[in-house]
Amino acid sequence: MKQYFPVSQPSIGEKELAYVCDAVKSGWVSSIGRYIEQFESMFAGFCGTEYALALSNGTTALHLALLSLGIKSGDEVIIPDLTFVATANAVAYTGAKVVPVDIDSRTLCIDVDCVERAINSRTRAVIPVHLYGHAAHMSRMMALSKERGVAVVEDAAEAHGAECAGRKVGSIGDCGIFSFYGNKVITSGEGGMLTTNDREIFLKAKLLRDHAMSAQKRYWHTEIGFNYRMTNLQAALGVAQMERIDEFLAKRRQIMDWYRESFGDHARLRLNHEEPGTRNVYWMVCLEISGITEVDRDAFMTKLREAGVDNRPYFYPVSDLPMFDAAPTPVAHDVSRRGINLPSYTDLSRTDVETISRIALTLLREMRIL
Ligand SMILES: Cc1ncc(COP(=O)(O)O)c(C=O)c1O
């Protein structure tokens, strides 16, 4: 049978099966159950925050983070132009204006100088995204946010365990959010988490998660809320994955080292960066080819897939999508056309990585790109 390497796949073992079965057998299959509280407390402990709130996915976590900060129509929220669309969509759900700004070409995260230039009297929040596992420049971000009075929501959907100046992402801004979609560092099937040290944000998000039902008076609702709850089944999977997260993070570093070794140095190729003072969790292996056209990049991706190596393009700039305003972001536009993600899951072996790299290098030579 021909070898095939997906871009991503979860690592599900006996522990995951046992906990999910236990949750099913307990009868607590919806959003009440011991695994939910356990998942929340384990995750808060991991990030080093006072609070963690389990939610239905990362997008709803972003939505509640913004609502809990009071973001509404007429406000502006700054985001990096290179991100998954969920970052922008969550801002749009609140009625606020999405303001995409450019990114740093090495970290692929928001450029704080661009944030500074984009802040005006309507700016209420910034969402630095820790893209592909690399932490955004949070020390400068937080200094700016203090100086200009804007809130910071960390979008750590892709960066569980990443660090900036010794602090875990999700614990640095006013609040942070994570995703547990099946391709993430850990998964709960679908799922999300909001992390914060701010009791008011936590309580507001908790209220909105469950239709804003009064804690004192059942079926009395004080405002329009949502059903953004996580189920006990999802949390059971999440707890099992949390028990393995250190193993996953170590393996991801190992895989990145194997990729670096197997690719070797080529003037036109660049793999993931790790800025001094940060810890990258290498959620996605990133390969950028300098000087390649988008047409050739796409042809390379098709040939790679035909050779059994699945891959995906970098995100398109949010400002190019029809529902958002255009923005002058040359760096985001440039890397978006040249970048691809290679297989990045924790069960990859050294031989797998060597095979993938060999296939990629051979194709790049055949296409006269190298
Ligand atoms: C940067 C970023 N933000 C937000 C999300 C949304 O998370 P979810 O898919 O769990 O809604 C994702 C998810 O894939 C993401 O990559």
Side-chain angles (χ1 to χ4, degrees), residues 56-60 62 83-87 129-131 155-158 177-181 183-184 190-192 283 312 315:
S56 50
N57 57 62
T59 311
T60 54
L62 268 173
T83 182
F84 181 57
V85 71
T87 317
V129 178
H130 307 303
L131 201 76
D155 183 339
E158 307 179 353
I177 73 92
F178 294 82
S179 164
F180 306 116
Y181 184 72
N183 65 4
K184 295 301 189 294
E190 292 272 0
W283 171 61
R312 48 182 248 183
F315 298 118

Side-chain angles (χ1 to χ4, degrees), residues 63-74:
H63 189 195
L64 288 198
L66 294 167
L67 291 178
S68 302
L69 285 163
I71 309 291
K72 55 183 187 322
S73 172

